[in-house]
């Protein structure tokens, strides 16, 4: 239990919407006095600057600065929630300085920052995953592609590439173009690259938490990465998500996901690098005949997902600090983490032009936010917003997230659409958002009503 005499001061390494919901969750804990955020965003501190300290300009991978500032400010706990913070070893350094760490060590988190390693681990642990090969040079890949000319595939950087390290290809030429693009845009991350067989199925994101031995699955969601309705256009960091999706009510998929997580954790223990912290299982449900599905592993993330965190965390009955202390103490088995089972839908309101250039709207005022703040029954999570004298200005790609929660996806979307009308009316010329988040579940419910 976290009930120490002294109240906790928690540091969080994030600046986006996921960071906003994590900060909010820590602020709800009676054990937490203050939250520091590296780098944070202005809306995190809006109306609560006494309890939230922002450190703009500090990179989430800047181990030395994060540790120095944490020590200077009496940080007791640090939550490592960004992929590059995991890789850089913020966790390892914080541990050496006596700060309690919520998040894996760098070697434990390698399941995310080295995708070739993760695939090897998956093969050894017999986790169902796509067929894959790894190369360093275009020439090596060319020889292999000559023998596999017309195969649908993904070309992936093995390292971290800000979510842009995976490109779809349908033939040799497209694959070679993808490799060239990755090597140009993300040279470090794609020193080695994977070519994976494309799986055809439906994706899901599941969160679990582990103390290295035990694990608890806390919820699932589906995110929407394309920029436009109907899953069209370019990929983004995520335009919205829906929690408790109907797909993941399938017991076989739940068991498959748990089995994958259990195998990964056992493999990490065997390796001598037990995994402690949040786990993100990116799954792909593949039809295998007779209406049956099988869960494949697409990817691991060594952290919570964005924007999935915005729909999963608010539905959990946990005190985030008590959970953090249980992870640090190495025993989460006594925790009773429950998911309220509601459906939450979150939509990202992004700058017009995102995911490409949004220079034309940078620094424009977002006028709808004060109005939205006054509405009951919705949650707003800030991201790329700069605040000056209580006004909100465009400073990034994804600006803020609106989340509604209801008993089913239809009601949650209904509520959301009223709110989005306000955004469109007041800021439509400067922002964009999707209107069909959760469409798969809407379609499933429609099909069911026709039966
Ligand atoms: N939504 C996927 C991720 O956070 O990587």
């Amino acid at each position: 239990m976290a009930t120490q005499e002294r109240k906790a001061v928690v540091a969080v390494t994030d600046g986006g919407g996921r960071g906003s919901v994590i900060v909010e969750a820590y602020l709800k804990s009676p054990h937490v006095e203050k939250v520091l955020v590296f780098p944070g965003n202005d809306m995190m501190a809006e109306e609560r600057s006494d309890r939230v300290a922002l450190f703009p300009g500090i990179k989430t991978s800047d181990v030395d600065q994060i540790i120095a500032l944490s020590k200077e400010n009496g940080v007791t706990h640090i939550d490592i929630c960004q992929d590059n913070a995991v890789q850089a070893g913020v966790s390892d350094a914080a541990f050496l300085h006596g700060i309690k760490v919520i998040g894996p060590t760098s070697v434990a988190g390698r399941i995310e920052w080295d995708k070739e390693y993760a695939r090897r681990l998956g093969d050894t642990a017999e986790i169902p995953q796509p067929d894959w090969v790894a190369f360093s040079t275009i020439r090596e890949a060319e020889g292999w592609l000559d023998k596999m000319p017309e195969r649908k595939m993904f070309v992936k950087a093995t390292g971290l590439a800000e979510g842009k390290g995976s490109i779809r290809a349908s033939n040799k030429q497209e694959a070679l173009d993808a490799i060239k693009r990755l090597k140009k845009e993300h040279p470090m991350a794609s020193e080695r690259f994977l070519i994976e067989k494309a799986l055809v199925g439906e994706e899901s994101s599941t969160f679990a938490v582990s103390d290295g031995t035990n694990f608890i699955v806390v919820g699932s969601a589906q995110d929407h990465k394309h920029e436009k309705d109907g899953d069209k256009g370019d990929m983004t960091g995520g335009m919205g998500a829906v929690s408790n999706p109907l797909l993941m009510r399938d017991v076989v998929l739940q068991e498959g996901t748990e089995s994958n997580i259990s195998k990964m954790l056992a493999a990490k223990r065997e390796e001598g690098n037990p995994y402690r912290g949040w786990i993100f299982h990116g799954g792909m449900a593949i039809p295998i005949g007779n209406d049956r599905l099988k869960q494949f592993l697409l990817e691991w993330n060594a952290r919570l997902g964005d924007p999935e965190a915005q729909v999963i965390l608010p539905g959990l009955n946990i005190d985030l600090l008590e959970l953090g202390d249980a992870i640090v103490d190495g025993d989460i088995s006594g925790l009773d983490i429950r998911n309220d089972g509601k459906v939450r839908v979150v939509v990202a309101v992004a700058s017009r032009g995102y995911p490409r250039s949004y220079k034309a709207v940078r620094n424009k005022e977002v006028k709808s936010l004060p109005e939205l703040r006054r509405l009951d029954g919705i949650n707003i999570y800030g991201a790329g917003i700069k605040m000056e004298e209580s006004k909100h200005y465009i400073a990034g790609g994804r600006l803020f997230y609106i989340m509604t929660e209801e008993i089913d996806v239809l009601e949650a979307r209904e509520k959301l659409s009223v709110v989005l009308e306000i955004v469109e009316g007041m800021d439509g010329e400067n922002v964009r958002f999707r209107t069909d988040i959760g469409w798969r579940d809407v379609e499933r419910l429609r099909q069911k009503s026709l039966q």
Side-chain angles (χ1 to χ4, degrees):
M1 280 278 289
T3 24
Q4 298 105 352
E5 304 274 297
R6 186 164 65 99
K7 283 210 173 185
V9 177
V10 181
V12 171
T13 58
D14 202 347
R18 170 189 50 203
S20 297
V21 70
I22 291 173
V23 168
E24 185 177 284
Y26 278 118
L27 290 175
K28 280 193 192 137
S29 167
H31 312 301
V32 173
E33 180 187 332
K34 194 160 182 156
V35 181
L36 276 62
V37 206
F38 303 108
N41 67 65
D42 285 356
M43 284 176 68
M44 288 175 174
E46 196 179 359
E47 293 167 16
R48 50 192 181 192
S49 53
D50 54 327
R51 291 189 71 206
V52 179
L54 305 176
F55 291 83
I58 302 291
K59 290 198 174 73
T60 50
S61 57
D62 190 339
V63 181
D64 292 344
Q65 288 262 47
I66 291 173
I67 299 300
L69 289 164
S70 295
K71 287 183 68 96
E72 210 175 285
N73 288 279
V75 165
T76 54
H77 297 68
I78 184 159
D79 190 319
I80 319 289
C81 40
Q82 184 80 29
D83 51 11
N84 59 6
V86 173
Q87 179 175 18
V90 177
S91 173
D92 311 57
F95 177 78
L96 289 178
H97 284 86
I99 300 170
K100 295 185 176 182
V101 177
I102 301 138
T105 59
S106 183
V107 282
R110 192 171 172 193
I111 53 167
E112 172 163 15
W113 56 258
D114 181 351
K115 298 195 187 332
E116 182 180 358
Y117 159 84
R119 286 289 177 240
R120 264 192 271 117
L121 188 95
D123 282 350
T124 310
E126 298 182 356
I127 294 172
Q129 55 181 8
D131 295 340
W132 64 279
V133 281
F135 302 106
S136 299
T137 64
I138 295 183
R139 184 183 290 200
E140 287 167 357
E142 210 166 2
W144 183 84
L145 287 163
D146 278 335
K147 292 181 224 134
M148 310 292 294
E150 291 297 333
R151 195 164 137 171
K152 299 231 179 299
M153 62 198 120
F154 280 94
V155 180
K156 292 184 176 175
T158 56
L160 298 179
E162 296 165 348
K164 297 177 188 114
S166 175
I167 302 176
R168 203 184 168 92
S170 306
N171 54 47
K172 180 183 169 187
Q173 194 50 51
E174 283 179 19
L176 292 176
D177 291 346
I179 299 165
K180 282 181 201 148
R181 190 168 142 199
L182 284 178
K183 288 217 175 256
K184 182 163 177 246
E185 293 174 4
H186 307 282
M188 299 273 279
S190 55
E191 255 177 39
R192 298 264 304 157
F193 56 90
L194 301 177
I195 301 182
E196 293 188 353
K197 181 179 177 187
L199 298 177
V200 182
E202 192 170 332
E203 284 188 46
S204 61
S205 312
T206 299
F207 290 177
V209 65
S210 177
D211 55 22
T213 307
N214 308 290
F215 72 94
I216 303 169
V217 172
V218 302
S220 292
Q222 286 183 308
D223 74 347
H224 296 61
K225 292 201 178 81
H226 290 86
E227 61 174 308
K228 293 184 188 157
D229 281 4
D231 289 343
K232 300 215 167 70
D234 286 349
M235 297 298 258
T236 70
M239 294 301 280
V242 57
S243 68
N244 290 317
L246 293 170
L247 174 78
M248 287 307 291
R249 317 249 173 126
D250 182 306
V251 176
V252 172
L253 292 182
Q254 289 171 9
E255 287 173 356
T257 306
E258 288 188 15
S259 158
N260 293 349
I261 294 170
S262 170
K263 287 174 176 171
M264 181 276 283
L265 290 171
K268 292 300 292 185
R269 279 196 302 278
E270 205 157 301
E271 187 188 88
N273 299 309
Y275 187 100
R276 299 190 182 93
W278 287 105
I279 302 161
F280 173 124
H281 174 279
M284 178 73 97
I286 307 284
I288 53 168
N290 296 333
D291 282 343
R292 283 172 42 236
L293 294 167
K294 180 169 173 173
Q295 185 71 300
F296 279 68
L297 170 73
L298 272 191
E299 61 170 357
W300 297 112
N301 291 328
R303 54 173 173 85
L304 297 178
D306 190 343
E308 293 94 328
Q310 290 89 308
V311 288
I312 295 181
L313 271 193
L316 306 181
N317 66 334
I318 47 167
D319 178 314
L320 213 52
L321 194 81
E322 287 182 9
L323 170 65
D325 276 331
I327 296 171
V328 172
D329 294 343
D331 188 5
I332 60 166
S333 61
L335 297 180
D336 177 21
I337 307 181
R338 266 170 285 156
N339 180 317
D340 65 10
K342 285 189 188 169
V343 172
R344 291 178 170 78
V345 180
V346 74
V347 170
V349 176
S351 299
R352 188 154 284 277
Y354 176 80
R356 292 160 299 279
S357 170
Y358 47 86
K359 248 185 14 218
V361 297
R362 194 177 269 279
N363 298 324
K364 298 263 187 209
E365 187 182 350
V366 180
K367 300 195 187 81
S368 57
L369 271 167
E371 181 82 17
L372 303 186
R373 282 278 198 227
R374 282 193 281 275
L375 298 177
D376 285 333
I378 63 163
N379 289 43
I380 309 280
Y381 302 113
I385 289 282
K386 192 100 210 114
M387 291 193 67
E388 262 168 48
E389 291 171 2
S390 303
K391 291 189 173 170
H392 304 83
Y393 297 93
I394 291 180
R398 286 176 296 170
L399 301 170
F400 62 94
Y401 297 80
I402 307 170
M403 189 272 277
T404 58
E405 53 187 41
E406 283 296 339
I407 212 68
D408 73 19
V409 68
L410 299 177
E411 290 187 27
R413 277 176 34 134
E414 177 78 36
K415 206 187 223 178
L416 201 51
S417 67
V418 176
V419 183
L420 289 173
E421 268 174 37
I422 298 175
V423 178
E424 181 62 35
M426 298 181 79
D427 292 308
E429 59 186 338
N430 296 327
V431 304
R432 65 177 305 181
F433 49 81
R434 277 183 66 161
T435 61
D436 68 342
I437 304 300
W439 66 264
R440 286 189 184 82
D441 279 2
V442 174
E443 185 56 23
R444 279 197 168 89
L445 292 176
R446 195 182 69 82
Q447 295 284 349
K448 208 166 151 200
S449 73
L450 295 176
Q451 282 167 9

